Amino acid sequence: MKTVCAAVALCALGSPGAALAQDGDLAVRNQWFTGSLEASSPALSTAGTLAIEPYLIYKIDTGAYDDRGHRHPRGDGVHQLQSVTVVKYALTDRVSFQALPTVVRVTDGHDRRGLGIADLPIELEYRLTDENGRTGSPSITASAGLVLPIGRYDHLTTVLDGLGTGALLAKQGIVVESLFDTAGGHPVRLRLFASMTEALASASVRDLSVYGTTDGFVGHAMPGVSAQVGVAAGYALDQRWVIALDLVRSDAGGSRLTGMDAGGTVRRTTGRRASRTTLAPALEYNWSARAGLIAGVEVSVAGRNTPSYAAPQIAFAVAF
């Protein structure tokens, strides 16, 4: 899953993953998987395949982590209802195109509301090697793409309307996946994944914005470099039922802001670095190798200069 953030400081830009088991040993070849919630998936293995995985996510802020990593609870946190859809199409047997359109509705404890479209990640994925179910040799997929700045970020009515950065971002990533059998005939799928995102240019900023500016401000902002690394595991109870778990660490550099506020004061600031560690347990049920359902919850377990949250979610994956 790809969590959408209203705050510029930290946006987890990794993608949800629907993936089909690839050819390997007979013990694992017939196993069906859908998840996990957080890990990116390898490029699809058959040209012309279309995979779609819509997520419904309810993200509840439960507090905030300070600069020392201490969590402080709060009773009027922001709630987000997110619709995130992973759309992946296999251009060849090794190259896939992926997009993650996202719509978010935001509310807070003061009856304020926001609704809008978040920035749009698009990328090309290339599978360098195929996995081998007999030996456990992994597949390796490299990706490169952009995050298109289509979400509102400045000249806002309320800060809850801010769902973008205003800057064109470049993103690179890698996914290593291994699928193998265990004692008792319970196939296990492991994924290691990492990504990095950086701004290609600064964003023009006016008035109230996600960068902490107020009405009358005029200037520019440069989002900081962000990175994510994680590990995911799926343990098959039988062909249809799978237990999944993700552990993810996300880091983001502080945004640089320059400009002039309404009073004529020049501002040059750099935001604080932010980090977050999350766990995402889930349970999935697969009707076939091409259709499955996954449900679970993503929970922040540590962080610095970022909100803490819980995010129950459910997704349906299908491939044509």
Side-chain angles (χ1 to χ4, degrees):
M1 142 344 238
K2 178 63 71 191
T3 300
V4 178
C5 312
V8 171
L10 183 61
C11 288
L13 296 173
S15 58
L20 309 179
Q22 298 179 22
D23 288 343
D25 186 69
L26 184 62
V28 297
R29 200 189 322 166
N30 294 326
Q31 180 60 45
W32 300 334
F33 290 95
T34 293
S36 59
L37 290 177
E38 290 291 327
S40 303
S41 60
L44 298 171
S45 58
T46 304
T49 300
L50 173 65
I52 301 175
E53 188 174 14
Y55 275 74
L56 186 63
I57 306 166
Y58 188 60
K59 182 172 177 286
I60 307 163
D61 281 5
T62 57
Y65 297 103
D66 62 23
D67 194 47
R68 294 187 174 184
H70 298 146
R71 179 182 171 276
H72 303 278
R74 60 190 185 197
D76 59 348
V78 172
H79 292 196
Q80 296 184 16
L81 181 62
Q82 306 174 5
S83 171
V84 183
T85 302
V86 183
V87 180
K88 182 177 290 195
Y89 181 74
L91 300 173
T92 72
D93 290 348
R94 292 190 176 272
V95 179
S96 295
F97 170 80
Q98 178 173 278
L100 279 82
T102 301
V103 178
V104 184
R105 183 179 186 273
V106 188
T107 60
D108 67 6
H110 304 286
D111 254 355
R112 292 177 297 189
R113 295 177 174 82
L115 176 66
I117 299 172
D119 288 352
L120 176 64
I122 58 172
E123 58 190 315
L124 286 176
E125 303 171 335
Y126 179 72
R127 193 175 64 261
L128 303 169
T129 62
D130 296 321
E131 66 187 359
N132 187 311
R134 181 177 57 83
T135 66
S137 176
S139 71
I140 301 174
T141 294
S143 63
L146 300 170
V147 182
L148 305 180
I150 63 174
R152 291 189 62 190
Y153 71 98
D154 73 341
H155 201 57
L156 305 174
T157 303
T158 169
V159 71
L160 299 182
D161 290 330
L163 298 172
T165 66
L168 181 65
L169 308 179
K171 181 187 175 187
Q172 307 86 40
I174 189 168
V175 181
V176 179
E177 177 180 287
S178 186
L179 178 64
F180 53 90
D181 201 8
T182 63
H186 297 280
V188 170
R189 186 174 69 185
L190 295 177
R191 285 178 179 168
L192 300 175
F193 56 99
S195 64
M196 184 179 71
T197 306
E198 56 188 336
L200 296 177
S202 62
S204 176
V205 180
R206 298 181 63 89
D207 301 324
L208 181 67
S209 76
V210 297
Y211 294 98
T213 61
T214 56
D215 286 344
F217 178 87
V218 178
H220 294 83
M222 175 71 78
V225 176
S226 64
Q228 184 185 74
V229 61
V231 58
Y235 177 80
L237 301 176
D238 58 27
Q239 188 182 40
R240 296 180 184 273
W241 291 96
V242 178
I243 299 172
L245 179 67
D246 295 91
L247 174 62
V248 185
R249 166 67 183 246
S250 303
D251 291 272
S255 301
R256 300 192 302 274
L257 180 70
T258 60
M260 185 176 297
D261 62 24
T265 302
V266 175
R267 291 185 58 184
R268 291 187 178 89
T269 61
T270 300
R272 293 181 175 181
R273 294 189 60 85
S275 66
R276 181 164 56 223
T277 302
T278 59
L279 280 175
L283 181 66
E284 59 185 79
Y285 178 81
N286 301 282
W287 287 276
S288 71
R290 291 182 172 267
L293 184 74
I294 183 168
V297 58
E298 179 191 359
V299 181
S300 61
V301 295
R304 292 180 183 272
N305 300 317
T306 186
S308 64
Y309 66 88
Q313 51 201 272
I314 189 169
F316 174 71
V318 61
F320 305 93

